[in-house]
Amino acid sequence: MTQVLVLGGTGEARALASGLVDRGVAVTSSLAGRVADPRLPAGAVRIGGFGGPEGLARWLSGHGTVAVVDATHPFAERIGASAVEGARRADVPLLRLQRPGWQQGPGDDWHWADSLGEAAELVETLGDRIFLTSGRQGLSAFARCTRPWFLARCVDPPEPPLPPRLEVLLGRGPYTVAGETALLRKHRIDVLVTKDSGGDMTTAKLTAARREGVPVVVVRRPERPPAHTVADVDAALAWVSAILGT
């Protein structure tokens, strides 16, 4: 019988699943299935959607779930909204585990955008050689940018529509400042584009951009429905322990 459902796909989700398994808690991690070869967490794993809030509520009720932790990516809008509504319908307590966003510091030249579409408009005015680190699914937002040259780093190969002047670099973090600096120099990058994902796994690119004087277009996080939220795995483990009474 499943006790805890972790909506995962992030490093925090894997760490939480591992911590729960170490404590003898039955846990199932749900992955969206958007990455061909995902890093699998400890415990049981399911891949694919639930069919919206109704489907999630049915799954929770049918699997004896006593708690849900939404540890998905900060930009996973759809599952974040479905998680809140599905847990409410099933009367199962929900926690959101969400890492803090990045903070601009001295020497940073950041340009905030509310969407990838707005980011595409900004890069047209900021530079000629753009490093896109916003994920393969967002590349279509830049498909109409015909003037700049783009380097896009993705875990899996992207699908059209894509920018006409594009080179794809397949890779998966964590990355180093030295490696990111070498990449910026090799490709003569004059603008970096990223989502405000937060965390340490990919923050090296921001440090490299600061040191190289490269402006950064940062896409703001989308709004999510209100939910009890913690910022780290230890706090999430404590919350689950309180729910289970252990």
Side-chain angles (χ1 to χ4, degrees):
M1 178 181 292
T2 297
Q3 286 188 305
V4 178
L5 173 68
V6 176
L7 303 175
T10 61
E12 290 85 359
R14 290 189 294 273
L16 175 60
S18 179
L20 291 173
V21 169
D22 288 346
R23 288 162 173 76
V25 176
V27 57
T28 293
S29 294
S30 178
L31 308 181
R34 293 176 179 173
V35 177
D37 184 24
R39 293 170 174 163
L40 297 179
V45 176
R46 70 175 303 280
I47 296 179
F50 291 92
E54 300 87 352
L56 176 58
R58 286 194 298 270
W59 194 95
L60 295 175
S61 299
H63 288 78
T65 310
V66 298
V68 180
V69 180
D70 175 9
T72 55
H73 193 277
F75 283 79
E77 295 179 73
R78 184 176 301 175
I79 186 59
S82 289
V84 171
E85 179 61 17
R88 184 193 66 79
R89 295 187 184 194
D91 195 25
V92 174
L94 176 138
L95 176 74
R96 181 175 295 144
L97 171 54
Q98 181 170 276
R99 68 184 85 125
W102 289 315
Q103 298 296 315
Q104 186 172 357
D108 286 324
D109 181 12
W110 287 10
H111 302 258
W112 289 92
D114 289 327
S115 66
L116 285 170
E118 186 174 316
E121 294 177 2
L122 277 173
V123 300
E124 291 273 16
T125 66
L126 290 174
D128 300 312
R129 299 181 66 82
I130 319 299
F131 184 22
L132 295 176
T133 64
S134 50
R136 66 184 176 92
Q137 293 183 318
L139 293 183
S140 60
F142 301 87
R144 295 184 179 181
C145 298
T146 58
R147 184 189 58 79
W149 176 87
F150 291 94
L151 174 68
R153 183 165 62 198
C154 314
V155 175
D156 295 318
E159 297 179 357
L162 300 170
R165 304 179 63 205
L166 173 70
E167 179 177 334
V168 175
L169 176 64
L170 299 182
R172 194 197 306 250
Y175 303 101
T176 65
V177 175
E180 298 290 69
T181 300
L183 191 67
L184 295 178
R185 292 176 178 176
K186 175 183 177 181
H187 295 281
R188 296 179 286 115
I189 299 298
D190 55 16
V191 181
L192 168 67
V193 178
T194 185
K195 294 177 178 178
D196 183 19
S197 300
D200 298 329
M201 184 170 290
T202 60
T203 190
K205 63 190 176 188
L206 299 175
T207 303
R210 180 191 313 123
R211 294 179 179 178
E212 294 298 303
V214 173
V216 182
V217 176
V218 185
V219 181
R220 290 186 178 90
R221 293 179 174 187
E223 291 291 332
R224 283 183 161 191
H228 181 52
T229 303
V230 298
D232 59 65
V233 173
D234 287 342
L237 286 169
W239 180 85
V240 172
S241 293
I243 293 294
L244 298 178
T246 58

